[in-house]
Amino acid sequence: MHPWERSQGTIPEDDTYHVGTEVMDKPDHADSGKDLRVLHVDDEPLICDVTRLCLEKGGRFRVDAVHTPEEALSLLRAAPYACVISDYEMPTMNGIELLREIRSFDQEIPFILFCGRGRETVIIDAFNTGADFYIQ
């Protein structure tokens, strides 16, 4: 069962988390503790700081922020994460190129692409490459 498929029936609290109003199975990529590890990739430090503050506020997420796709790939190969949130526009590699690299060694980890501009071709390419969500 893919980690992000909807839960069927009652699942103990420590095996679930909420995405919006939906209860989802805890991804295999998450730590065994109660905090879900999220990897955020954005070349703008301020965006990383704001994302970390918002996600860690509720106490369910622990965010590791990096500023280059290369750093993200290194961390993903070294430790498990519940999901990846990535900016689209970055200097050395865009978010879709990063996703392609990640999918070459991990087909399961949920990937959320964050883009400030709503270009339809980017959205289509993101989903065709394997992105799970897109945030504009």
Side-chain angles (χ1 to χ4, degrees), residues 28-84:
D28 296 332
H29 297 83
D31 284 343
S32 59
K34 69 176 187 173
D35 292 345
L36 295 175
R37 293 182 67 198
V38 174
L39 181 59
H40 184 212
V41 190
D42 198 309
D43 60 314
E44 296 182 42
L46 181 61
I47 301 296
C48 289
D49 291 342
V50 170
T51 301
R52 177 182 284 129
L53 287 172
C54 290
L55 290 177
E56 290 184 348
K57 184 178 181 181
R60 291 283 295 173
F61 299 102
R62 188 177 89 205
V63 178
D64 292 337
V66 295
H67 304 296
T68 69
E70 294 79 13
E71 290 174 288
L73 291 167
S74 178
L75 285 177
L76 285 166
R77 287 184 173 109
Y81 283 90
C83 76
V84 176

Side-chain angles (χ1 to χ4, degrees), residues 80-97:
Y81 283 90
C83 76
V84 176
I85 300 171
S86 176
D87 186 24
Y88 173 70
E89 291 188 36
M90 295 180 284
T92 61
M93 179 186 306
N94 71 39
I96 294 173
E97 293 167 335

